[in-house]
């Protein structure tokens, strides 16, 4: 299977009760973005911390956001890319006007910074956004997540066995 790597995309952001995802980075599944009804949160920003290349389990830093914030991002992206309503696939983190772009860029920077000290981390199976396990963070774990995200590389999940273990069989 070919590995796809992309930048931004949006899954259907439809009604508030439906799961939806705005993907900012992708490699055989989401690596970073915003989600509603996924990663163990109502609405959140997520960023990959570690993964297992053999079984493709992924560990994410998760930052809760307000549902209105998620919907605001989805609406702003839809306005800038009006011809692709509900599109799945590459989209740009681009907006219809400079004020919206500045507001969205500031929101993204704030979420990236908050991901360094998340409220919890979430283990998923591959491209799935449903949690296999969610682990609340303490001060030490928040420092560890921050150091991992600052390193600029995605860690091997084996380095995180003391935090979360994937299920014994698949």
């Amino acid at each position: 299977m070919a590995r796809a790597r992309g930048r931004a995309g949006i899954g259907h952001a439809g009604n508030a009760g439906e799961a939806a995802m705005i993907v900012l980075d992708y490699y055989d599944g989401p690596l970073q973005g915003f989600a509603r009804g996924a990663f163990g949160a109502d609405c959140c920003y997520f960023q990959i911390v570690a993964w297992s290349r053999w079984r493709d389990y992924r560990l994410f830093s998760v930052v809760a956001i307000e549902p209105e914030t998620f919907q605001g991002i989805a609406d702003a992206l839809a306005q800038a890319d009006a011809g692709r309503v509900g599109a799945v696939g590459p989209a740009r983190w681009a907006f219809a006007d400079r004020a919206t772009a500045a507001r969205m860029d500031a929101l993204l920077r704030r979420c990236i910074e908050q991901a360094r000290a998340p409220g919890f981390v979430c283990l998923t199976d591959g491209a799935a956004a449903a949690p296999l396990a969610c682990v609340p963070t303490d001060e030490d774990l928040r420092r560890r997540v921050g150091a991992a995200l600052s390193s600029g590389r995605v860690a091997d999940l084996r380095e995180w066995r003391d935090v979360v273990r994937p299920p014994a069989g698949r």
Side-chain angles (χ1 to χ4, degrees):
M1 176 167 74
R3 294 194 182 269
R5 180 159 179 90
R7 285 306 283 164
I10 183 168
H12 178 65
N15 300 325
E18 297 176 20
M21 194 174 299
I22 299 167
V23 178
L24 303 178
D25 199 4
Y26 186 94
Y27 186 83
D28 279 356
L31 301 177
Q32 175 191 24
F34 296 92
R36 179 179 58 219
F39 300 101
D42 289 338
C43 290
C44 66
Y45 167 80
F46 62 91
Q47 187 172 353
I48 194 165
V49 175
W51 74 300
S52 166
R53 71 186 271 206
W54 303 114
R55 296 221 182 210
D56 200 21
Y57 292 116
R58 296 167 185 233
L59 183 67
F60 290 92
S61 171
V62 180
V63 175
I65 62 172
E66 294 296 322
E68 299 80 23
T69 301
F70 178 85
Q71 195 59 52
I73 296 166
D75 291 346
L77 286 169
Q79 288 174 10
D81 209 1
R84 298 173 43 107
V85 176
V88 175
R92 298 174 321 272
W93 184 253
F95 301 95
D97 58 72
R98 287 182 186 203
T100 302
R103 195 172 69 250
M104 293 295 128
D105 285 346
L107 171 66
L108 179 58
R109 282 192 306 276
R110 188 170 60 248
C111 287
I112 289 170
E113 186 58 36
Q114 289 174 347
R116 296 174 190 275
F120 65 97
V121 293
C122 177
L123 181 71
T124 67
D125 187 357
L132 294 173
C134 290
V135 178
T137 58
D138 58 17
E139 188 175 330
D140 288 337
L141 184 52
R142 285 189 291 274
R143 260 196 306 272
R144 186 171 171 187
V145 169
L149 292 177
S150 296
S151 76
R153 71 175 188 86
V154 178
D156 187 304
L157 190 58
R158 290 177 293 193
E159 299 170 24
W160 293 79
R161 277 190 214 149
D162 60 318
V163 174
V164 64
R165 289 186 181 269
R170 201 164 148 176

